[in-house]
Amino acid sequence: MGSGQRAAGLAAAAVMAAGVGLVGFAGPAAAVSTTCYVGNVCLYDDSYFNGGTWYRSASPGTYNLTGFNDRTSSWINNSWTNDAKWFWGANATGGSECMNPNSSNGYVGWYNNDEASSVRVYTDDLAC
Protein backbone atom coordinates (compact mmCIF):
# COMPACT_ATOMS: atom_id res chain seq x y z
CA MET A 1 0.00 0.00 0.00
CA GLY A 2 1.48 3.36 -1.03
CA SER A 3 1.56 6.41 1.22
CA GLY A 4 -1.34 7.98 -0.72
CA GLN A 5 -3.50 4.88 -0.21
CA ARG A 6 -2.48 4.70 3.44
CA ALA A 7 -3.45 8.37 3.95
CA ALA A 8 -6.79 7.76 2.23
CA GLY A 9 -7.37 4.70 4.41
CA LEU A 10 -6.58 6.66 7.56
CA ALA A 11 -8.88 9.48 6.46
CA ALA A 12 -11.68 6.98 5.81
CA ALA A 13 -11.11 5.41 9.23
CA ALA A 14 -11.28 8.85 10.84
CA VAL A 15 -14.56 9.61 9.08
CA MET A 16 -15.97 6.25 10.18
CA ALA A 17 -14.85 6.86 13.76
CA ALA A 18 -16.46 10.27 13.70
CA GLY A 19 -19.66 8.69 12.38
CA VAL A 20 -19.62 6.15 15.19
CA GLY A 21 -19.23 9.04 17.62
CA LEU A 22 -22.26 10.73 16.15
CA VAL A 23 -24.28 7.55 16.34
CA GLY A 24 -23.21 7.14 19.95
CA PHE A 25 -24.29 10.71 20.69
CA ALA A 26 -27.69 10.09 19.12
CA GLY A 27 -28.65 7.94 22.13
CA PRO A 28 -29.69 10.85 24.37
CA ALA A 29 -31.35 12.59 21.43
CA ALA A 30 -33.52 9.53 20.88
CA ALA A 31 -34.68 9.79 24.48
CA VAL A 32 -35.76 13.37 23.85
CA SER A 33 -38.67 12.35 21.65
CA THR A 34 -40.15 10.14 24.36
CA THR A 35 -39.72 12.43 27.37
CA CYS A 36 -41.42 15.61 26.14
CA TYR A 37 -44.57 15.36 24.05
CA VAL A 38 -44.84 17.28 20.79
CA GLY A 39 -46.18 20.75 21.45
CA ASN A 40 -44.71 21.05 24.96
CA VAL A 41 -41.86 22.93 26.58
CA CYS A 42 -40.22 20.77 29.26
CA LEU A 43 -37.64 21.49 31.96
CA TYR A 44 -35.82 18.79 33.92
CA ASP A 45 -34.21 18.60 37.37
CA ASP A 46 -31.18 16.72 36.11
CA SER A 47 -28.97 16.71 33.07
CA TYR A 48 -29.95 14.79 29.95
CA PHE A 49 -33.69 14.99 30.61
CA ASN A 50 -33.77 13.08 33.89
CA GLY A 51 -35.29 13.73 37.27
CA GLY A 52 -38.44 15.72 37.98
CA THR A 53 -40.13 17.50 35.10
CA TRP A 54 -41.95 20.79 34.61
CA TYR A 55 -43.88 20.95 31.36
CA ARG A 56 -46.40 23.20 29.69
CA SER A 57 -48.02 23.27 26.29
CA ALA A 58 -46.16 25.70 24.05
CA SER A 59 -49.04 28.19 24.24
CA PRO A 60 -47.77 31.78 24.34
CA GLY A 61 -47.52 33.24 27.82
CA THR A 62 -45.32 33.73 30.86
CA TYR A 63 -45.14 30.95 33.43
CA ASN A 64 -43.52 31.15 36.86
CA LEU A 65 -41.89 27.91 37.91
CA THR A 66 -43.85 27.51 41.12
CA GLY A 67 -42.66 24.28 42.72
CA PHE A 68 -39.84 24.02 40.18
CA ASN A 69 -37.95 27.25 40.87
CA ASP A 70 -34.14 27.04 40.61
CA ARG A 71 -34.13 23.35 39.66
CA THR A 72 -33.53 23.24 35.87
CA SER A 73 -30.51 21.37 34.52
CA SER A 74 -31.79 20.47 31.02
CA TRP A 75 -34.69 21.40 28.75
CA ILE A 76 -36.61 20.52 25.58
CA ASN A 77 -38.69 22.85 23.42
CA ASN A 78 -40.77 20.34 21.47
CA SER A 79 -42.88 22.88 19.60
CA TRP A 80 -42.51 23.39 15.87
CA THR A 81 -42.93 27.18 15.73
CA ASN A 82 -42.65 28.81 19.17
CA ASP A 83 -39.47 30.23 20.60
CA ALA A 84 -39.30 30.08 24.37
CA LYS A 85 -36.89 31.52 26.94
CA TRP A 86 -36.22 30.59 30.52
CA PHE A 87 -35.40 33.46 32.88
CA TRP A 88 -33.42 33.76 36.10
CA GLY A 89 -36.19 35.85 37.70
CA ALA A 90 -39.92 35.46 38.17
CA ASN A 91 -42.31 36.98 35.63
CA ALA A 92 -39.73 36.72 32.81
CA THR A 93 -37.21 39.09 34.40
CA GLY A 94 -33.45 39.01 34.68
CA GLY A 95 -31.09 37.09 32.43
CA SER A 96 -32.55 34.60 29.98
CA GLU A 97 -31.58 31.74 27.72
CA CYS A 98 -33.26 30.88 24.42
CA MET A 99 -35.02 27.62 23.69
CA ASN A 100 -35.58 27.52 19.94
CA PRO A 101 -38.43 25.43 18.49
CA ASN A 102 -37.72 21.72 18.13
CA SER A 103 -34.49 21.86 20.13
CA SER A 104 -33.05 20.70 23.43
CA ASN A 105 -30.13 21.20 25.77
CA GLY A 106 -28.95 18.18 27.75
CA TYR A 107 -27.06 20.33 30.25
CA VAL A 108 -27.38 24.08 30.72
CA GLY A 109 -23.85 24.39 32.14
CA TRP A 110 -22.57 25.09 35.62
CA TYR A 111 -23.33 28.83 35.42
CA ASN A 112 -27.01 28.36 34.48
CA ASN A 113 -27.64 25.17 36.43
CA ASP A 114 -30.56 25.43 38.88
CA GLU A 115 -31.24 29.09 37.99
CA ALA A 116 -34.52 29.09 36.00
CA SER A 117 -37.43 30.82 37.73
CA SER A 118 -39.83 31.48 34.85
CA VAL A 119 -40.50 30.62 31.22
CA ARG A 120 -41.95 32.75 28.43
CA VAL A 121 -43.32 31.09 25.31
CA TYR A 122 -43.57 33.37 22.27
CA THR A 123 -46.05 33.38 19.39
CA ASP A 124 -43.41 32.62 16.73
CA ASP A 125 -39.76 31.79 16.19
CA LEU A 126 -38.48 35.39 16.04
CA ALA A 127 -37.67 36.01 19.74
CA CYS A 128 -34.35 34.14 19.84
Side-chain angles (χ1 to χ4, degrees):
M1 179 182 297
S3 64
Q5 289 175 318
R6 189 175 14 243
L10 290 173
V15 168
M16 288 177 58
V20 169
L22 291 174
V23 170
F25 184 74
V32 170
S33 65
T34 61
T35 61
C36 185
Y37 292 111
V38 172
N40 284 342
V41 174
C42 305
L43 308 178
Y44 298 86
D45 266 332
D46 300 325
S47 60
Y48 298 101
F49 325 110
N50 291 301
T53 307
W54 176 92
Y55 64 93
R56 189 75 77 215
S57 110
S59 299
T62 299
Y63 308 98
N64 288 321
L65 300 178
T66 306
F68 205 79
N69 187 48
D70 295 337
R71 291 173 51 183
T72 300
S73 295
S74 57
W75 58 262
I76 299 170
N77 180 354
N78 213 0
S79 75
W80 290 104
T81 58
N82 300 74
D83 274 340
K85 293 183 181 180
W86 65 262
F87 291 82
W88 283 45
N91 302 312
T93 60
S96 66
E97 295 290 329
C98 281
M99 298 183 288
N100 297 106
N102 199 29
S103 67
S104 62
N105 186 342
Y107 180 58
V108 298
W110 67 268
Y111 184 76
N112 287 322
N113 193 49
D114 296 337
E115 295 295 340
S117 295
S118 60
V119 170
R120 177 173 286 164
V121 179
Y122 295 88
T123 57
D124 53 35
D125 62 353
L126 302 175
C128 292

mmCIF file of all heavy atoms in Angstrom, residues 41-74:
data_model
loop_
_atom_site.group_PDB
_atom_site.id
_atom_site.type_symbol
_atom_site.label_atom_id
_atom_site.label_comp_id
_atom_site.label_asym_id
_atom_site.label_seq_id
_atom_site.Cartn_x
_atom_site.Cartn_y
_atom_site.Cartn_z
ATOM 1 N N VAL A 41 -43.165 22.480 26.108
ATOM 2 C CA VAL A 41 -41.860 22.933 26.578
ATOM 3 C C VAL A 41 -41.641 22.232 27.913
ATOM 4 O O VAL A 41 -42.517 22.263 28.780
ATOM 5 C CB VAL A 41 -41.829 24.468 26.760
ATOM 6 C CG1 VAL A 41 -40.535 24.922 27.387
ATOM 7 C CG2 VAL A 41 -42.055 25.159 25.422
ATOM 8 N N CYS A 42 -40.481 21.577 28.068
ATOM 9 C CA CYS A 42 -40.221 20.768 29.259
ATOM 10 C C CYS A 42 -38.881 21.151 29.885
ATOM 11 O O CYS A 42 -37.892 21.328 29.177
ATOM 12 C CB CYS A 42 -40.182 19.291 28.882
ATOM 13 S SG CYS A 42 -41.669 18.706 28.029
ATOM 14 N N LEU A 43 -38.862 21.249 31.196
ATOM 15 C CA LEU A 43 -37.638 21.486 31.960
ATOM 16 C C LEU A 43 -37.420 20.286 32.873
ATOM 17 O O LEU A 43 -38.385 19.689 33.361
ATOM 18 C CB LEU A 43 -37.760 22.754 32.801
ATOM 19 C CG LEU A 43 -38.190 24.034 32.087
ATOM 20 C CD1 LEU A 43 -38.314 25.178 33.084
ATOM 21 C CD2 LEU A 43 -37.231 24.390 30.969
ATOM 22 N N TYR A 44 -36.157 19.974 33.138
ATOM 23 C CA TYR A 44 -35.818 18.789 33.925
ATOM 24 C C TYR A 44 -34.877 19.136 35.070
ATOM 25 O O TYR A 44 -33.985 19.976 34.926
ATOM 26 C CB TYR A 44 -35.152 17.728 33.030
ATOM 27 C CG TYR A 44 -36.066 17.256 31.936
ATOM 28 C CD1 TYR A 44 -36.152 17.944 30.736
ATOM 29 C CD2 TYR A 44 -36.872 16.151 32.123
ATOM 30 C CE1 TYR A 44 -37.011 17.529 29.740
ATOM 31 C CE2 TYR A 44 -37.734 15.718 31.132
ATOM 32 C CZ TYR A 44 -37.807 16.410 29.941
ATOM 33 O OH TYR A 44 -38.665 16.003 28.961
ATOM 34 N N ASP A 45 -35.061 18.445 36.187
ATOM 35 C CA ASP A 45 -34.206 18.599 37.368
ATOM 36 C C ASP A 45 -32.750 18.279 37.081
ATOM 37 O O ASP A 45 -31.852 18.926 37.605
ATOM 38 C CB ASP A 45 -34.640 17.625 38.479
ATOM 39 C CG ASP A 45 -35.600 18.235 39.464
ATOM 40 O OD1 ASP A 45 -35.567 19.444 39.675
ATOM 41 O OD2 ASP A 45 -36.394 17.461 40.025
ATOM 42 N N ASP A 46 -32.530 17.247 36.318
ATOM 43 C CA ASP A 46 -31.183 16.723 36.115
ATOM 44 C C ASP A 46 -30.771 16.838 34.659
ATOM 45 O O ASP A 46 -31.598 17.052 33.774
ATOM 46 C CB ASP A 46 -31.121 15.254 36.552
ATOM 47 C CG ASP A 46 -31.473 15.081 38.026
ATOM 48 O OD1 ASP A 46 -31.140 15.964 38.832
ATOM 49 O OD2 ASP A 46 -32.111 14.061 38.351
ATOM 50 N N SER A 47 -29.488 16.657 34.425
ATOM 51 C CA SER A 47 -28.969 16.711 33.065
ATOM 52 C C SER A 47 -29.526 15.559 32.230
ATOM 53 O O SER A 47 -29.963 14.543 32.769
ATOM 54 C CB SER A 47 -27.442 16.685 33.070
ATOM 55 O OG SER A 47 -26.968 15.508 33.675
ATOM 56 N N TYR A 48 -29.513 15.770 30.939
ATOM 57 C CA TYR A 48 -29.950 14.794 29.947
ATOM 58 C C TYR A 48 -31.353 14.269 30.204
ATOM 59 O O TYR A 48 -31.633 13.092 30.073
ATOM 60 C CB TYR A 48 -28.912 13.681 29.771
ATOM 61 C CG TYR A 48 -27.628 14.288 29.278
ATOM 62 C CD1 TYR A 48 -26.587 14.515 30.161
ATOM 63 C CD2 TYR A 48 -27.492 14.713 27.968
ATOM 64 C CE1 TYR A 48 -25.417 15.144 29.735
ATOM 65 C CE2 TYR A 48 -26.340 15.342 27.538
ATOM 66 C CZ TYR A 48 -25.316 15.554 28.415
ATOM 67 O OH TYR A 48 -24.181 16.192 28.005
ATOM 68 N N PHE A 49 -32.252 15.225 30.588
ATOM 69 C CA PHE A 49 -33.685 14.990 30.609
ATOM 70 C C PHE A 49 -34.100 13.939 31.634
ATOM 71 O O PHE A 49 -34.976 13.125 31.394
ATOM 72 C CB PHE A 49 -34.177 14.622 29.190
ATOM 73 C CG PHE A 49 -33.414 15.373 28.125
ATOM 74 C CD1 PHE A 49 -32.521 14.726 27.292
ATOM 75 C CD2 PHE A 49 -33.539 16.750 28.010
ATOM 76 C CE1 PHE A 49 -31.786 15.423 26.339
ATOM 77 C CE2 PHE A 49 -32.807 17.465 27.062
ATOM 78 C CZ PHE A 49 -31.933 16.796 26.225
ATOM 79 N N ASN A 50 -33.470 13.991 32.788
ATOM 80 C CA ASN A 50 -33.770 13.078 33.888
ATOM 81 C C ASN A 50 -34.304 13.862 35.080
ATOM 82 O O ASN A 50 -34.226 15.072 35.128
ATOM 83 C CB ASN A 50 -32.508 12.309 34.299
ATOM 84 C CG ASN A 50 -32.080 11.332 33.239
ATOM 85 O OD1 ASN A 50 -32.825 10.440 32.862
ATOM 86 N ND2 ASN A 50 -30.859 11.515 32.744
ATOM 87 N N GLY A 51 -34.804 13.128 36.044
ATOM 88 C CA GLY A 51 -35.294 13.733 37.269
ATOM 89 C C GLY A 51 -36.706 14.278 37.098
ATOM 90 O O GLY A 51 -37.404 13.957 36.141
ATOM 91 N N GLY A 52 -37.113 15.119 38.039
ATOM 92 C CA GLY A 52 -38.442 15.718 37.981
ATOM 93 C C GLY A 52 -38.599 16.584 36.747
ATOM 94 O O GLY A 52 -37.629 17.086 36.185
ATOM 95 N N THR A 53 -39.853 16.774 36.338
ATOM 96 C CA THR A 53 -40.133 17.503 35.104
ATOM 97 C C THR A 53 -41.186 18.583 35.341
ATOM 98 O O THR A 53 -42.176 18.353 36.013
ATOM 99 C CB THR A 53 -40.670 16.545 34.027
ATOM 100 O OG1 THR A 53 -39.773 15.456 33.882
ATOM 101 C CG2 THR A 53 -40.849 17.244 32.695
ATOM 102 N N TRP A 54 -40.937 19.746 34.757
ATOM 103 C CA TRP A 54 -41.950 20.791 34.613
ATOM 104 C C TRP A 54 -42.264 20.860 33.135
ATOM 105 O O TRP A 54 -41.358 20.884 32.301
ATOM 106 C CB TRP A 54 -41.407 22.134 35.084
ATOM 107 C CG TRP A 54 -42.359 23.281 34.882
ATOM 108 C CD1 TRP A 54 -43.262 23.746 35.782
ATOM 109 C CD2 TRP A 54 -42.497 24.102 33.711
ATOM 110 N NE1 TRP A 54 -43.959 24.799 35.247
ATOM 111 C CE2 TRP A 54 -43.511 25.038 33.963
ATOM 112 C CE3 TRP A 54 -41.878 24.127 32.463
ATOM 113 C CZ2 TRP A 54 -43.909 25.992 33.041
ATOM 114 C CZ3 TRP A 54 -42.272 25.070 31.526
ATOM 115 C CH2 TRP A 54 -43.275 25.991 31.831
ATOM 116 N N TYR A 55 -43.537 20.838 32.771
ATOM 117 C CA TYR A 55 -43.879 20.953 31.361
ATOM 118 C C TYR A 55 -45.143 21.783 31.199
ATOM 119 O O TYR A 55 -45.963 21.911 32.108
ATOM 120 C CB TYR A 55 -44.059 19.575 30.706
ATOM 121 C CG TYR A 55 -45.201 18.781 31.265
ATOM 122 C CD1 TYR A 55 -46.455 18.841 30.684
ATOM 123 C CD2 TYR A 55 -45.025 17.976 32.395
ATOM 124 C CE1 TYR A 55 -47.512 18.126 31.201
ATOM 125 C CE2 TYR A 55 -46.068 17.251 32.912
ATOM 126 C CZ TYR A 55 -47.315 17.330 32.314
ATOM 127 O OH TYR A 55 -48.363 16.633 32.832
ATOM 128 N N ARG A 56 -45.254 22.363 30.030
ATOM 129 C CA ARG A 56 -46.398 23.197 29.689
ATOM 130 C C ARG A 56 -46.581 23.112 28.182
ATOM 131 O O ARG A 56 -45.609 23.010 27.433
ATOM 132 C CB ARG A 56 -46.096 24.627 30.101
ATOM 133 C CG ARG A 56 -47.211 25.596 30.031
ATOM 134 C CD ARG A 56 -48.242 25.459 31.133
ATOM 135 N NE ARG A 56 -47.782 26.020 32.386
ATOM 136 C CZ ARG A 56 -48.077 25.530 33.580
ATOM 137 N NH1 ARG A 56 -48.805 24.465 33.710
ATOM 138 N NH2 ARG A 56 -47.655 26.079 34.666
ATOM 139 N N SER A 57 -47.815 23.190 27.733
ATOM 140 C CA SER A 57 -48.024 23.267 26.291
ATOM 141 C C SER A 57 -47.368 24.552 25.808
ATOM 142 O O SER A 57 -47.260 25.516 26.558
ATOM 143 C CB SER A 57 -49.516 23.236 25.986
ATOM 144 O OG SER A 57 -49.983 24.450 25.531
ATOM 145 N N ALA A 58 -46.881 24.545 24.585
ATOM 146 C CA ALA A 58 -46.161 25.698 24.048
ATOM 147 C C ALA A 58 -47.121 26.817 23.645
ATOM 148 O O ALA A 58 -46.959 27.458 22.625
ATOM 149 C CB ALA A 58 -45.285 25.270 22.885
ATOM 150 N N SER A 59 -48.131 27.072 24.471
ATOM 151 C CA SER A 59 -49.041 28.192 24.243
ATOM 152 C C SER A 59 -48.360 29.458 24.720
ATOM 153 O O SER A 59 -47.759 29.471 25.802
ATOM 154 C CB SER A 59 -50.336 27.993 25.021
ATOM 155 O OG SER A 59 -50.976 26.815 24.598
ATOM 156 N N PRO A 60 -48.444 30.533 23.936
ATOM 157 C CA PRO A 60 -47.773 31.776 24.337
ATOM 158 C C PRO A 60 -48.218 32.254 25.720
ATOM 159 O O PRO A 60 -49.387 32.162 26.074
ATOM 160 C CB PRO A 60 -48.205 32.765 23.247
ATOM 161 C CG PRO A 60 -48.490 31.897 22.061
ATOM 162 C CD PRO A 60 -49.078 30.641 22.632
ATOM 163 N N GLY A 61 -47.255 32.726 26.482
ATOM 164 C CA GLY A 61 -47.521 33.244 27.819
ATOM 165 C C GLY A 61 -46.281 33.196 28.673
ATOM 166 O O GLY A 61 -45.232 32.691 28.264
ATOM 167 N N THR A 62 -46.403 33.744 29.882
ATOM 168 C CA THR A 62 -45.316 33.731 30.859
ATOM 169 C C THR A 62 -45.732 32.834 32.011
ATOM 170 O O THR A 62 -46.839 32.956 32.528
ATOM 171 C CB THR A 62 -45.028 35.157 31.364
ATOM 172 O OG1 THR A 62 -44.634 35.964 30.242
ATOM 173 C CG2 THR A 62 -43.921 35.169 32.401
ATOM 174 N N TYR A 63 -44.838 31.940 32.401
ATOM 175 C CA TYR A 63 -45.142 30.947 33.425
ATOM 176 C C TYR A 63 -44.058 30.970 34.502
ATOM 177 O O TYR A 63 -42.880 30.753 34.202
ATOM 178 C CB TYR A 63 -45.211 29.549 32.803
ATOM 179 C CG TYR A 63 -46.133 29.483 31.623
ATOM 180 C CD1 TYR A 63 -45.636 29.574 30.325
ATOM 181 C CD2 TYR A 63 -47.506 29.342 31.797
ATOM 182 C CE1 TYR A 63 -46.480 29.521 29.224
ATOM 183 C CE2 TYR A 63 -48.361 29.292 30.703
ATOM 184 C CZ TYR A 63 -47.844 29.386 29.425
ATOM 185 O OH TYR A 63 -48.684 29.345 28.338
ATOM 186 N N ASN A 64 -44.456 31.255 35.741
ATOM 187 C CA ASN A 64 -43.517 31.149 36.857
ATOM 188 C C ASN A 64 -43.373 29.688 37.232
ATOM 189 O O ASN A 64 -44.329 28.923 37.167
ATOM 190 C CB ASN A 64 -43.991 31.979 38.044
ATOM 191 C CG ASN A 64 -43.848 33.461 37.780
ATOM 192 O OD1 ASN A 64 -42.875 33.901 37.173
ATOM 193 N ND2 ASN A 64 -44.816 34.239 38.219
ATOM 194 N N LEU A 65 -42.179 29.307 37.618
ATOM 195 C CA LEU A 65 -41.892 27.906 37.914
ATOM 196 C C LEU A 65 -42.197 27.576 39.372
ATOM 197 O O LEU A 65 -41.344 27.101 40.108
ATOM 198 C CB LEU A 65 -40.436 27.588 37.562
ATOM 199 C CG LEU A 65 -40.071 27.810 36.099
ATOM 200 C CD1 LEU A 65 -38.595 27.515 35.866
ATOM 201 C CD2 LEU A 65 -40.945 26.968 35.188
ATOM 202 N N THR A 66 -43.405 27.820 39.764
ATOM 203 C CA THR A 66 -43.852 27.510 41.123
ATOM 204 C C THR A 66 -43.668 26.017 41.370
ATOM 205 O O THR A 66 -44.115 25.185 40.602
ATOM 206 C CB THR A 66 -45.333 27.895 41.298
ATOM 207 O OG1 THR A 66 -45.487 29.262 40.927
ATOM 208 C CG2 THR A 66 -45.796 27.673 42.721
ATOM 209 N N GLY A 67 -42.948 25.665 42.412
ATOM 210 C CA GLY A 67 -42.664 24.276 42.722
ATOM 211 C C GLY A 67 -41.496 23.709 41.928
ATOM 212 O O GLY A 67 -41.086 22.578 42.161
ATOM 213 N N PHE A 68 -40.974 24.490 40.979
ATOM 214 C CA PHE A 68 -39.839 24.022 40.182
ATOM 215 C C PHE A 68 -38.767 25.108 40.076
ATOM 216 O O PHE A 68 -37.856 25.034 39.261
ATOM 217 C CB PHE A 68 -40.316 23.603 38.786
ATOM 218 C CG PHE A 68 -39.431 22.591 38.117
ATOM 219 C CD1 PHE A 68 -39.505 21.253 38.456
ATOM 220 C CD2 PHE A 68 -38.515 22.978 37.161
ATOM 221 C CE1 PHE A 68 -38.683 20.314 37.843
ATOM 222 C CE2 PHE A 68 -37.680 22.048 36.535
ATOM 223 C CZ PHE A 68 -37.769 20.716 36.888
ATOM 224 N N ASN A 69 -38.880 26.127 40.890
ATOM 225 C CA ASN A 69 -37.951 27.254 40.871
ATOM 226 C C ASN A 69 -36.524 26.801 41.187
ATOM 227 O O ASN A 69 -36.296 26.024 42.107
ATOM 228 C CB ASN A 69 -38.407 28.295 41.895
ATOM 229 C CG ASN A 69 -37.603 29.564 41.814
ATOM 230 O OD1 ASN A 69 -37.401 30.113 40.741
ATOM 231 N ND2 ASN A 69 -37.130 30.014 42.960
ATOM 232 N N ASP A 70 -35.572 27.307 40.405
ATOM 233 C CA ASP A 70 -34.142 27.041 40.613
ATOM 234 C C ASP A 70 -33.804 25.548 40.634
ATOM 235 O O ASP A 70 -32.997 25.095 41.441
ATOM 236 C CB ASP A 70 -33.651 27.716 41.904
ATOM 237 C CG ASP A 70 -33.708 29.224 41.831
ATOM 238 O OD1 ASP A 70 -33.703 29.763 40.707
ATOM 239 O OD2 ASP A 70 -33.756 29.868 42.875
ATOM 240 N N ARG A 71 -34.403 24.791 39.719
ATOM 241 C CA ARG A 71 -34.129 23.348 39.661
ATOM 242 C C ARG A 71 -33.689 22.865 38.282
ATOM 243 O O ARG A 71 -33.298 21.707 38.135
ATOM 244 C CB ARG A 71 -35.386 22.577 40.080
ATOM 245 C CG ARG A 71 -35.708 22.727 41.549
ATOM 246 C CD ARG A 71 -37.031 22.122 41.947
ATOM 247 N NE ARG A 71 -37.219 20.746 41.509
ATOM 248 C CZ ARG A 71 -38.340 20.068 41.712
ATOM 249 N NH1 ARG A 71 -39.349 20.630 42.343
ATOM 250 N NH2 ARG A 71 -38.446 18.826 41.289
ATOM 251 N N THR A 72 -33.745 23.692 37.246
ATOM 252 C CA THR A 72 -33.532 23.243 35.871
ATOM 253 C C THR A 72 -32.074 22.951 35.556
ATOM 254 O O THR A 72 -31.207 23.789 35.779
ATOM 255 C CB THR A 72 -34.067 24.296 34.879
ATOM 256 O OG1 THR A 72 -35.461 24.472 35.119
ATOM 257 C CG2 THR A 72 -33.835 23.883 33.442
ATOM 258 N N SER A 73 -31.836 21.755 35.005
ATOM 259 C CA SER A 73 -30.505 21.371 34.522
ATOM 260 C C SER A 73 -30.507 21.047 33.031
ATOM 261 O O SER A 73 -29.458 21.041 32.399
ATOM 262 C CB SER A 73 -29.986 20.157 35.288
ATOM 263 O OG SER A 73 -29.778 20.486 36.641
ATOM 264 N N SER A 74 -31.674 20.745 32.450
ATOM 265 C CA SER A 74 -31.788 20.467 31.019
ATOM 266 C C SER A 74 -33.197 20.840 30.572
ATOM 267 O O SER A 74 -34.098 20.998 31.397
ATOM 268 C CB SER A 74 -31.474 19.003 30.715
ATOM 269 O OG SER A 74 -32.303 18.120 31.434
#
